[in-house]
Amino acid sequence: MSNASLGNLRILDLSRILAGPSCTQMLGDLGADIIKIERKGVGDDTRTWGPPFVTPKEGRATESAYYLAANRNKRSVEIDFNDPEDLARLLALMETADVVVENFKTGALKKYGLDYSQLAERLPRLVWCSITGFGQTGPNAHRPGYDLLAQGFGGLMSITGEAGGEPMKVGVGITDLCTGLHASVAILAALRHRDATGEGQLIDLALADVQMAMLANQGTNYLTSGTSPTRAGNQHPNIVPYQVFEVRDGHVIVAVGNDEQYKRFCGLIGRPDLAEDPRFVTNPLRIENRHEIVSLIAKTLLDITRDDLLKGMEEKGIPGGPINTVGEALESDQARARGMKIEMAQEYAQSGSVSLIGNPIRMSRTPVTYRFAPPKLGTDTPLAFWADAQPSKI
């Protein structure tokens, strides 16, 4: 595909669940040929992670909404990892590939002869991306990895949730998704190096590492002060007021980012005195007196409606916004204008199509493309094994 950024790349996706599949979907949207390698008769675990499921034209539903989220622009190939002939075919495909992405437990592929260390000499140009819970090294390398475990181990749950409440995970697999993004960046960097030198390499990504890297300012707050941050609900550790407030008919986000915005906000809500109070005139002072200023603002906002507050904040250039449901977000005019809800034809669906979330990348010369809806298990096995792989190698 001449107008695709990655149209000349073939990627074998031996991963499942979310981190690896979200990475390969991203690269597939950018034009890469993604061949999803799945266990025969079983497939990606998420195919059965429902309901909801796609309503099929006939038979039993086999594709969950979860599976749809990370598997478009791929072809599905089933193999039996215990069948020597299937392993030979997979190796033949690897010889035609630029990248392999896998998330098997550390060392699990060695018994099949498919570990990077076993193939690096045979396939020196291959970029191999391994995604595990804790990486290839360290005392926890043998442990399995799921997003929830990474959120717990990496510190995120300790700072998520209400103050004094139960540690809380984020509402989506955020560590998996961020690991997928890191994997995409690392793969593109490794391919640039490969194209310049002819050398492939191993990319070793761990969910726990990514989660700790995601701590950002909260992590450096600890490194600078020696004190671990704690849960603070929707409040920001370094900015006040920057949180959710209750209003007369619901809730609103107020995201005041500097002292000038704070002054305008106080005027908007009819409390200009709060902008002049010496306890609150600067952000460091507002943090020092957080309880007092938040209580005063919260009491005032109970008399203001959601729409009136949001309209006033927009007119005065004060950052803030609504708290939409998932449905409100995806059905919004903004989502429609940005193409964040898409329909893709799929013959196994009773409706003839499936609804998916669009790719957020906007590129003026090589835009993302939506070529294949998430496939049924094994749909492309004959095509990929017998037509695309080099016949002399099978």
Coordinates of all heavy atoms in Angstrom, one line a residue, residues 131-174:
I131 N 7.0 -9.1 25.5 CA 6.2 -8.4 26.5 C 5.9 -9.4 27.6 O 5.2 -10.4 27.4 CB 5.0 -7.7 25.9 CG1 5.3 -6.7 24.8 CG2 4.2 -7.1 27.0 CD1 4.1 -6.2 24.1
T132 N 6.4 -9.1 28.8 CA 6.1 -9.9 30.0 C 5.7 -9.1 31.1 O 5.7 -7.9 31.1 CB 7.3 -10.8 30.3 OG1 8.4 -10.0 30.6 CG2 7.6 -11.8 29.2
G133 N 5.3 -9.7 32.2 CA 4.9 -9.0 33.4 C 6.1 -8.3 34.1 O 5.9 -7.1 34.5
F134 N 7.2 -9.0 34.1 CA 8.4 -8.4 34.9 C 9.7 -8.4 34.1 O 10.7 -8.1 34.7 CB 8.5 -9.2 36.2 CG 7.4 -9.0 37.2 CD1 6.3 -9.8 37.1 CD2 7.4 -7.9 38.1 CE1 5.2 -9.6 38.0 CE2 6.3 -7.7 38.9 CZ 5.2 -8.6 38.9
G135 N 9.6 -8.7 32.8 CA 10.8 -8.7 32.0 C 11.6 -10.0 32.0 O 11.3 -10.9 32.7
Q136 N 12.7 -10.0 31.3 CA 13.5 -11.2 31.1 C 14.5 -11.3 32.3 O 15.2 -12.4 32.3 CB 14.3 -11.1 29.8 CG 13.4 -10.9 28.6 CD 12.5 -12.1 28.3 OE1 12.9 -13.3 28.4 NE2 11.2 -11.9 28.1
T137 N 14.7 -10.3 33.1 CA 15.7 -10.4 34.2 C 15.0 -10.0 35.5 O 13.9 -9.5 35.5 CB 16.9 -9.5 33.9 OG1 16.4 -8.1 33.7 CG2 17.6 -9.9 32.6
G138 N 15.8 -10.2 36.6 CA 15.3 -9.8 37.9 C 14.6 -10.9 38.6 O 14.2 -11.9 38.0
P139 N 14.4 -10.7 39.9 CA 13.9 -11.8 40.8 C 12.4 -12.2 40.4 O 12.0 -13.3 40.8 CB 14.0 -11.3 42.2 CG 14.0 -9.8 42.0 CD 14.7 -9.5 40.7
N140 N 11.7 -11.3 39.7 CA 10.3 -11.7 39.4 C 10.1 -12.1 38.0 O 8.9 -12.2 37.5 CB 9.4 -10.4 39.7 CG 9.3 -10.1 41.2 OD1 9.4 -11.0 42.0 ND2 9.3 -8.9 41.5
A141 N 11.2 -12.3 37.3 CA 11.1 -12.6 35.8 C 10.2 -13.8 35.5 O 9.6 -13.9 34.5 CB 12.5 -12.8 35.2
H142 N 10.1 -14.7 36.5 CA 9.3 -16.0 36.3 C 7.8 -15.8 36.5 O 7.0 -16.6 36.1 CB 9.8 -17.1 37.2 CG 9.6 -16.7 38.7 ND1 10.3 -15.8 39.3 CD2 8.6 -17.2 39.5 CE1 9.9 -15.7 40.6 NE2 8.8 -16.5 40.7
R143 N 7.4 -14.7 37.1 CA 6.1 -14.5 37.5 C 5.2 -14.1 36.3 O 5.6 -13.3 35.4 CB 6.0 -13.4 38.6 CG 6.6 -13.8 39.9 CD 6.5 -12.7 40.9 NE 5.1 -12.3 41.2 CZ 4.8 -11.3 41.9 NH1 5.7 -10.5 42.4 NH2 3.5 -11.0 42.1
P144 N 3.9 -14.5 36.3 CA 3.0 -14.1 35.2 C 2.7 -12.6 35.4 O 2.8 -12.1 36.5 CB 1.8 -15.0 35.4 CG 1.8 -15.4 36.8 CD 3.3 -15.4 37.2
G145 N 2.2 -12.0 34.3 CA 1.9 -10.6 34.4 C 0.5 -10.3 33.8 O 0.2 -10.6 32.7
Y146 N -0.3 -9.7 34.6 CA -1.6 -9.1 34.1 C -1.6 -7.6 34.5 O -1.0 -7.2 35.5 CB -2.8 -9.9 34.7 CG -3.0 -11.2 34.1 CD1 -2.5 -12.4 34.7 CD2 -3.9 -11.3 33.0 CE1 -2.7 -13.6 34.1 CE2 -4.1 -12.6 32.4 CZ -3.5 -13.7 33.0 OH -3.7 -14.9 32.4
D147 N -2.5 -6.9 33.8 CA -2.6 -5.5 34.1 C -2.8 -5.1 35.5 O -2.2 -4.3 36.1 CB -3.7 -4.9 33.2 CG -3.8 -3.4 33.4 OD1 -4.6 -3.0 34.3 OD2 -3.2 -2.6 32.6
L148 N -3.8 -5.8 36.2 CA -4.1 -5.5 37.5 C -2.9 -5.7 38.5 O -2.6 -4.9 39.4 CB -5.3 -6.4 38.0 CG -5.7 -6.3 39.5 CD1 -6.2 -4.9 39.7 CD2 -6.8 -7.3 39.8
L149 N -2.1 -6.8 38.2 CA -0.9 -7.1 39.0 C 0.1 -6.0 38.8 O 0.8 -5.6 39.8 CB -0.3 -8.4 38.6 CG -1.3 -9.6 38.8 CD1 -0.5 -10.9 38.3 CD2 -1.7 -9.8 40.2
A150 N 0.2 -5.5 37.6 CA 1.2 -4.4 37.4 C 0.8 -3.1 38.0 O 1.6 -2.4 38.6 CB 1.4 -4.2 35.8
Q151 N -0.5 -2.8 38.0 CA -1.0 -1.6 38.6 C -0.7 -1.6 40.1 O -0.4 -0.6 40.7 CB -2.5 -1.4 38.4 CG -2.8 -1.0 36.9 CD -4.3 -0.5 36.8 OE1 -4.7 0.3 37.7 NE2 -4.9 -0.8 35.7
G152 N -0.9 -2.9 40.7 CA -0.6 -3.0 42.1 C 0.9 -2.9 42.4 O 1.3 -2.2 43.3
F153 N 1.7 -3.7 41.7 CA 3.1 -3.8 42.0 C 3.8 -2.4 41.7 O 4.7 -2.0 42.4 CB 3.8 -4.8 41.1 CG 5.2 -5.0 41.4 CD1 5.6 -6.0 42.3 CD2 6.2 -4.3 40.7 CE1 7.0 -6.2 42.6 CE2 7.5 -4.5 41.0 CZ 7.9 -5.4 41.9
G154 N 3.4 -1.8 40.6 CA 4.0 -0.5 40.2 C 3.6 0.7 40.9 O 4.1 1.8 40.6
G155 N 2.8 0.6 41.9 CA 2.4 1.8 42.7 C 1.2 2.6 42.3 O 0.7 3.4 43.1
L156 N 0.6 2.3 41.1 CA -0.5 3.1 40.7 C -1.7 3.0 41.6 O -2.4 4.0 41.9 CB -0.9 2.7 39.2 CG -2.0 3.5 38.6 CD1 -1.7 5.0 38.5 CD2 -2.4 2.9 37.2
M157 N -2.0 1.8 42.0 CA -3.2 1.6 42.9 C -3.1 2.3 44.2 O -4.1 2.6 44.8 CB -3.5 0.1 43.1 CG -4.0 -0.6 41.8 SD -4.3 -2.4 42.0 CE -5.7 -2.4 43.1
S158 N -1.9 2.5 44.7 CA -1.7 3.2 46.0 C -2.0 4.7 45.9 O -2.2 5.3 46.9 CB -0.2 3.0 46.4 OG 0.6 3.8 45.7
I159 N -2.1 5.2 44.7 CA -2.4 6.6 44.5 C -3.7 6.8 43.8 O -4.1 8.0 43.4 CB -1.3 7.4 43.8 CG1 -1.0 6.8 42.5 CG2 0.0 7.5 44.7 CD1 0.0 7.6 41.6
T160 N -4.5 5.8 43.6 CA -5.8 5.9 42.9 C -6.9 5.4 43.8 O -6.9 4.4 44.4 CB -5.8 4.9 41.7 OG1 -4.7 5.3 40.8 CG2 -7.1 5.1 40.9
G161 N -7.9 6.3 43.9 CA -9.1 6.0 44.8 C -9.2 7.2 45.8 O -8.4 8.1 45.9
E162 N -10.3 7.1 46.6 CA -10.6 8.1 47.6 C -9.6 8.1 48.7 O -9.1 7.0 49.1 CB -12.0 7.9 48.1 CG -13.1 8.2 47.1 CD -13.1 9.7 46.7 OE1 -12.7 10.6 47.5 OE2 -13.5 9.9 45.5
A163 N -9.3 9.2 49.3 CA -8.4 9.3 50.4 C -8.9 8.4 51.6 O -10.0 8.5 52.0 CB -8.3 10.8 50.9
G164 N -8.0 7.6 52.0 CA -8.4 6.7 53.1 C -9.2 5.5 52.7 O -9.5 4.6 53.5
G165 N -9.5 5.4 51.4 CA -10.3 4.3 50.9 C -9.5 3.1 50.4 O -8.3 3.0 50.6
E166 N -10.2 2.2 49.7 CA -9.5 1.0 49.2 C -8.6 1.4 48.0 O -9.0 2.2 47.2 CB -10.6 0.0 48.7 CG -10.1 -1.2 48.1 CD -11.2 -2.1 47.6 OE1 -12.4 -1.7 47.5 OE2 -11.0 -3.3 47.3
P167 N -7.5 0.8 47.9 CA -6.6 1.0 46.6 C -7.5 0.6 45.4 O -8.2 -0.4 45.4 CB -5.5 0.0 46.8 CG -5.4 -0.2 48.3 CD -6.8 -0.2 48.8
M168 N -7.3 1.4 44.3 CA -8.2 1.3 43.2 C -7.5 1.2 41.9 O -6.5 1.9 41.7 CB -9.2 2.5 43.2 CG -10.3 2.3 42.2 SD -11.5 1.1 42.7 CE -12.0 1.7 44.3
K169 N -7.9 0.3 41.0 CA -7.3 0.2 39.7 C -8.0 1.2 38.8 O -9.1 1.7 39.1 CB -7.4 -1.2 39.1 CG -8.9 -1.6 38.7 CD -8.9 -3.0 38.1 CE -10.3 -3.4 37.7 NZ -10.8 -2.5 36.6
V170 N -7.3 1.5 37.7 CA -7.9 2.4 36.7 C -9.0 1.6 35.9 O -8.9 0.3 35.8 CB -6.9 2.9 35.7 CG1 -7.5 3.7 34.6 CG2 -5.8 3.7 36.5
G171 N -10.0 2.2 35.4 CA -11.2 1.6 34.8 C -10.9 0.8 33.5 O -11.8 0.1 33.0
V172 N -9.8 1.0 32.9 CA -9.4 0.1 31.7 C -8.0 -0.4 32.0 O -7.3 0.0 33.0 CB -9.4 0.9 30.4 CG1 -10.7 1.4 30.1 CG2 -8.4 2.1 30.5
G173 N -7.5 -1.3 31.2 CA -6.2 -1.9 31.3 C -5.1 -0.9 30.9 O -4.4 -1.1 29.9
I174 N -4.9 0.1 31.7 CA -4.1 1.2 31.3 C -2.6 0.8 31.2 O -1.9 1.3 30.3 CB -4.2 2.4 32.3 CG1 -3.6 3.7 31.8 CG2 -3.7 2.0 33.7 CD1 -4.3 4.3 30.6

